[in-house]
Amino acid sequence: METKGVLHDEKHSARLLNMTCDTLLFLKNDGTCVDMIVKTENNPYVNDQYTLLGKNIFTFFPEETVQELKPALEQVAKKGEVSNANYNLPAPGRMYFFKLIAHKYDDEHLLCQYRDITIRSQMKRRLEKANKRLTETGRQAKIGYWSYNTVTKMISYTGYVGVVWGVETEEIVLLAEYLEHVYPADRQKLVDVLERTTGEDTLEYRIVKDKVYYVKLKVIDVLRGKNGEAIVEGYTQNIDDIISGWDRLKMLSLALDNSNDSIFATKMDGTIIFANRFCRKKCHIAIGTDIMAYKAYEVLEKFENKEAWDNFTRELRDNDNALQYIWNAPNPRPEIISYDCSAFVFRNEYDEDLIWHLCRDVSERSRHEIELKKAKEKAEESDRLKSAFISNMSHEIRTPLNSIVGFSTIMAGIEKREERDQYLSIIESSNKRLLMLIDEVLDLSKIEAGIFELSYSNKELNGLCREVMVNYQFNTTFVPLRLELPDEDFYMWTDKNRLMQVISNLIDNALKFTKQGSVTLGYRAIPGFVEFSVEDTGIGISPDKLTVIFDRFERVDHFIPGSGLGLSICKSIVERMGGDISVTSEVGVGSVFSFRIPLEDAREIEERYGKTGAFTSL
């Protein structure tokens, strides 16, 4: 076949026309389609059913298309200029795009090449949209793109890092010039990554400007130039805000974890979403355990069950989403008594309500408050006791004084010796009573002032007990005194005077309440102690009095003379000597007062109190 001049040979024109890829439209100048050859994909307007044939394109095409198409075709018909433009062709459910090249065919007709560019236009639009998204992402993420030539040592940069250069700038600089901005310790690391040319390298380094900035570099590709040089491409991201945010978050997390307060957060249904170290420890939740597997009412003592939790959240809502309260532990351990708690509702970025809880251990404060309350009660009790003491002492002192004054006055006019001896005996008894009261008051004041002196020496106890009994040889109560002593002598280090004072006070007390029977003094050695006892067959003590019998001013019978201080002083002396005192009694049968003194040798006493002998017990 002869191929020379085929494109210009009219014999081949029909065949060539059928082989072209564009649709041809033959239009009148007014827009009427008089002929067409369809080669493009069908659409509602231009298709192989020739829907457009015989119709006016200006009324058949959508108005949006006609507004741009009609002026262009009118210009072609008028001036004969070729029109080459792209147009939108909206159709129900889809948008088409086409290119129309219009020529003036003669004075009455136009020849138009219609090319469907829908797929290409859609791809272009998707590409533009993706590029716009990428640009916006780079701007928001502060990312810049760069390439580095390993031969010329030049860096080409554009982007939004905004540290060394401004945002959206294009720069071409030497690597050495850029390194001047890099933190000295990071420079060689950066050079190594750029020169390695292996790809997929990542590096975080610092830039020094008005402050230290953190940036992240990522190598994404290595190309080869026409001269064989390596072109390293990648991106750099300004991560200073991220690092700062992480630092702040780490600092906050560290502060929360090292707090001595219990801090935790929950959802409204009780699911725990955060708990610091202190809270986990108190709730016995292991570090590393998924905290969201727990409900507040399952691990926290305050919330016994879901109903208790629901009541709490309801009260929280009723108090404008903020609540402060004191929680006292139901079964307080020695180290924990109560918590000062705050709870408030916080709405997160997902529009979800969360409850933050802060519980501070105020056990120490509670202890101080309890101690302060006890001190206040003690002070009030001391004030009451002082008033009672003054009232009681004024009565107790007035009684012997009245006897002394009264019988001394009467004796002046008494001539009979027997009667004078009787009054003299009463006066002597009142003198002893008054002296005993004064001694008790003095002892009490020493005990209160903390200057109660003890003077230790090695004493034989059988002889000491007999010496006490000698003082009662003129006992006027006619109640026999008995001694129950060990067969062998027993020695111990003690304060003789104070020990005799305690024994004498107990015997005096027994004699006052014993009208018949006997009063017995004895002692025995038990492991580590010597136990003394004074047993009587007196009126006994009622059970309600046994617990307070050693308190000041407590008296079994207010009709029997006494200050109510003797037993209290005995208790203080015994306790200061390291011992204890107790009583057993039965009403109508009698009482047994017992006290124990620890056995100590001279060396132990010296270690406890210093030099053996007199010392002050504070």
Side-chain angles (χ1 to χ4, degrees), residues 350-378:
Y350 304 110
D351 212 29
E352 182 182 18
D353 284 345
L354 306 176
I355 307 175
W356 277 93
H357 308 252
L358 172 63
C359 297
R360 173 164 296 172
D361 183 356
V362 292
S363 301
E364 194 64 28
R365 188 181 75 187
S366 296
R367 289 190 193 96
H368 289 323
E369 289 175 352
I370 292 172
E371 290 171 2
L372 185 61
K373 183 179 180 181
K374 289 181 178 177
K376 178 176 177 292
E377 292 174 350
K378 186 176 180 181

Side-chain angles (χ1 to χ4, degrees), residues 134 138 143-147 156-161 220 234-236:
L134 182 62
I143 293 176
Y145 300 94
W146 52 266
S147 63
S156 177
Y157 164 87
T158 182
Y160 309 93
V161 176
I220 56 177
Y235 70 83
T236 300

Side-chain angles (χ1 to χ4, degrees), residues 192-248:
D192 292 344
V193 170
L194 295 177
E195 295 290 344
R196 193 156 39 237
T197 67
T198 56
E200 300 299 321
D201 277 329
T202 301
L203 175 68
E204 291 184 7
Y205 61 97
R206 290 159 289 182
I207 296 292
V208 181
K209 202 173 180 184
D210 55 322
K211 67 168 191 171
V212 176
Y213 292 85
Y214 289 84
V215 294
K216 178 180 179 180
L217 176 143
K218 172 72 174 176
V219 176
I220 56 177
D221 201 2
V222 179
L223 307 175
R224 294 293 171 181
K226 58 183 180 180
N227 297 322
E229 72 274 23
I231 308 296
V232 184
E233 294 184 340
Y235 70 83
T236 300
Q237 182 180 9
N238 182 344
I239 60 172
D240 191 65
D241 290 343
I242 298 174
I243 295 295
S244 299
W246 274 111
D247 286 344
R248 288 192 295 270

Side-chain angles (χ1 to χ4, degrees), residues 194-374:
L194 295 177
E195 295 290 344
R196 193 156 39 237
T197 67
T198 56
E200 300 299 321
D201 277 329
T202 301
L203 175 68
E204 291 184 7
Y205 61 97
R206 290 159 289 182
I207 296 292
V208 181
K209 202 173 180 184
D210 55 322
K211 67 168 191 171
V212 176
Y213 292 85
Y214 289 84
V215 294
K216 178 180 179 180
L217 176 143
K218 172 72 174 176
V219 176
I220 56 177
D221 201 2
V222 179
L223 307 175
R224 294 293 171 181
K226 58 183 180 180
N227 297 322
E229 72 274 23
I231 308 296
V232 184
E233 294 184 340
Y235 70 83
T236 300
Q237 182 180 9
N238 182 344
I239 60 172
D240 191 65
D241 290 343
I242 298 174
I243 295 295
S244 299
W246 274 111
D247 286 344
R248 288 192 295 270
L249 184 60
K250 186 185 296 183
M251 187 181 302
L252 178 60
S253 178
L254 189 64
L256 291 177
D257 257 354
N258 286 279
S259 172
N260 288 327
D261 298 333
S262 179
I263 303 172
F264 61 99
T266 63
K267 294 183 178 181
M268 295 302 294
D269 66 356
T271 302
I272 302 176
I273 59 174
F274 170 82
N276 71 343
R277 191 186 306 273
F278 187 87
C279 179
R280 285 175 178 264
K281 180 180 177 181
K282 293 302 177 186
C283 296
H284 308 291
I285 301 174
I287 302 298
T289 304
D290 182 12
I291 198 69
M292 295 189 69
Y294 296 91
K295 300 286 188 181
Y297 49 82
E298 294 173 344
V299 295
L300 297 173
E301 293 179 344
K302 171 177 170 51
F303 309 108
E304 298 176 356
N305 47 45
K306 189 175 186 305
E307 182 181 357
W309 172 261
D310 291 339
N311 292 336
F312 167 76
T313 55
R314 191 178 303 111
E315 185 179 1
L316 181 61
R317 290 297 196 189
D318 292 342
N319 282 274
D320 198 24
N321 291 327
L323 193 61
Q324 189 164 7
Y325 57 93
I326 296 291
W327 173 52
N328 295 312
N331 298 304
R333 298 180 288 276
E335 71 276 10
I336 296 180
I337 297 176
S338 58
Y339 290 96
D340 185 1
C341 302
S342 298
F344 61 91
V345 177
F346 170 79
R347 180 161 293 182
N348 63 14
E349 62 271 25
Y350 304 110
D351 212 29
E352 182 182 18
D353 284 345
L354 306 176
I355 307 175
W356 277 93
H357 308 252
L358 172 63
C359 297
R360 173 164 296 172
D361 183 356
V362 292
S363 301
E364 194 64 28
R365 188 181 75 187
S366 296
R367 289 190 193 96
H368 289 323
E369 289 175 352
I370 292 172
E371 290 171 2
L372 185 61
K373 183 179 180 181
K374 289 181 178 177

Side-chain angles (χ1 to χ4, degrees), residues 453-461 464 467 490-500 532 577 597-603 605-606 609 611-615:
E453 294 183 353
L454 296 174
S455 182
Y456 277 77
S457 59
N458 198 17
K459 294 298 177 183
E460 191 268 309
L461 297 185
L464 185 145
E467 187 177 342
F490 192 88
Y491 287 82
M492 74 176 293
W493 283 84
T494 186
D495 184 318
K496 172 186 174 183
N497 294 331
R498 295 305 179 188
L499 181 57
M500 291 180 67
F532 295 85
M577 295 174 74
I597 302 297
L599 285 171
E600 297 178 297
D601 58 26
R603 183 179 301 175
I605 294 173
E606 187 172 356
Y609 305 114
K611 183 179 179 181
T612 302
F615 70 96

Side-chain angles (χ1 to χ4, degrees), residues 459-472 483 496-497 500 504 521:
K459 294 298 177 183
E460 191 268 309
L461 297 185
N462 283 6
L464 185 145
C465 290
R466 290 190 182 97
E467 187 177 342
V468 171
M469 298 303 286
V470 169
N471 295 329
Y472 291 93
L483 270 176
K496 172 186 174 183
N497 294 331
M500 291 180 67
S504 298
L521 168 64

